Amino acid sequence: MRASVAISDGAPEAEHEPARTAPGSVLVAVAALSLGFALGVSDGNFDPFALLLVTGSAIASVAALVMERRRDRATGAGAPGRDWRARVLCGGVLASIAFDALRQPGIFVPPDTLGFFRPVLAVAGVAALTYLWTGAPALVARLRFPLLAAAAAVLAGFVIRTTPGPPIDVWFFQQMGSFAMLRGVDPYAVAYPNIYGPFTPFYSPEVLSPDQAYVLGNPYPPLTLLVAVPTTLLHADVRWTHLALVLFSAWAIRRLGRGSRVAELAAVFVLLQPRTFFVLEQSWTEPIVLASALLALVVVDATYRRDGASGEGPLGPIVTGIAGALALSSKQYAPILLAPVLLALPPAHRWKSAAIAVAGAALVILPFALWDAPALYRGVVAFQLQQPFRADSLSWPAAVVRMGGPVLSPWIALPAAVAVLALGVARRVSLERAVLTGAAAWLAFLLFSKQAFCNYYWLVAGLLCAAVALRAGSDSGSTRMP
């Protein structure tokens, strides 16, 4: 069998062991691709075919989770053979590049400006093709990932520059909220313009002013506004921060996979999957969630998993708790994603890390609670509970309504997520299984949620790619759990 080239922290090394088949990991890769292309055909809005793809992704994720449980009882990563994860992911990356070349990268991008966009995509396609070259020279293996990341950054920057001030409420909440905070005004007590006009189906009347001209409150946690501060100080667009966080996420996924070919492809798919540029154009905050979650995973990986590090010293729960605090502060649903990661820590450190994470998240919120606690509650909690059911959601409740059925209770999403979390629970789980459990649980929640759109599913695809990378890093044999 020919030796293939892998990358580890920038240095090429030969893989002397044969690649190992990992059926569950292949399923996770397929689930990530299925989500990406579901968003590509639907933009995250209701579409029967896209809903089938999303449902198939959920089934594949749960099946992979079941296979992970069985795998944990056995020894070894699997039987020697071809590693189909790299082939599946490479095919997904190439298909994503083709998709981006055929469709607008965002709904606000002027069509007559795409003359620059497609040549850069062509360069990215050539670089991605080298992942199929098993005997690629070391220089090619070193440069292809940085080249693809740079191409993605140029393309995303093009989208941001050609769509200044996008007409979407998320952008106004972040830009105006951060600006108000820097002026000493409570961002949760500000009246934001209702850019969609009166009688919009996007807001519940309870969150609007009597004339429905303003939105009363900001629905995003304080960390979202704090992240926007640097660009606000520079009088720049917050989406540049989002782009930086997406690039960091790609680096983190590569690092979690020990720089393997599979990990690089998983990271590149996050950068170039069909609607990443659309997510950035719309200024959705999920890049903040993904980056903060991956930062926590990198810290846990470096503290407890990498090269046999045990993390038994006092700094172990402190650093993991601080990283967890940032992730926990990123969005209201973050606990669903993070709870399984606790089980990947040594038992003696779980509750210490959890306590530090909760305390750190509380410290982020505390200044705003002291500023105006009712306004904070109205924006971060009540706003979410009062949001109306959306029949244009990419979810099964929306499908039921469109088929003439009743509006289902929004609470059915929670038991679906809890059931998946229970499936992944064990006395001790691997980090990759913990990530897969959180991603699958959030995906199950979305499928039965009253609102489920592109940004939420995009986040799931990113987490699934992280799970694939983690499994690839474990299968390389370069790690030893404490």
Side-chain angles (χ1 to χ4, degrees), residues 100 116-118 120-121 124 150-160 272 277:
D100 288 336
F116 167 80
F117 195 83
R118 292 190 176 102
V120 179
L121 275 176
V154 169
L155 294 171
F158 167 83
V159 171
I160 293 171
L272 297 175
F277 301 128

Side-chain angles (χ1 to χ4, degrees), residues 4-10 13 15 25-26 28-29 32-33 83-90 93 131 141 144-146 148-149 246-272 294 298 301 305-306 432 461-476 478-479:
S4 60
V5 175
I7 308 300
S8 177
D9 297 328
E13 60 180 17
E15 290 180 348
S25 190
V26 174
V28 179
L33 267 60
D83 190 341
W84 285 96
R85 293 171 298 191
R87 296 186 175 202
V88 169
L89 288 169
C90 189
V93 169
Y131 282 101
R144 59 192 173 191
F145 179 74
L148 283 161
V246 171
L247 293 172
F248 168 81
S249 297
W251 170 86
I253 289 173
R254 180 185 182 276
R255 189 181 190 281
L256 290 171
R258 309 297 187 262
S260 65
R261 185 169 63 139
V262 170
E264 286 194 359
L265 285 166
V268 172
F269 183 73
V270 170
L271 292 173
L272 297 175
L294 289 174
V298 167
D301 178 65
R305 203 174 78 111
R306 181 174 287 274
E432 53 268 25
L463 292 172
L464 292 175
C465 286
V468 173
L470 280 162
R471 174 58 70 207
S474 295
D475 289 350
S476 69
S478 62
T479 60

Side-chain angles (χ1 to χ4, degrees), residues 328 332-340 414 417 421 434 437-443 445:
L328 198 60
Q332 290 91 334
Y333 55 74
I336 295 177
L337 309 177
L338 297 176
L414 189 58
L421 287 173
T437 300
W442 179 230
L443 180 54
F445 186 95

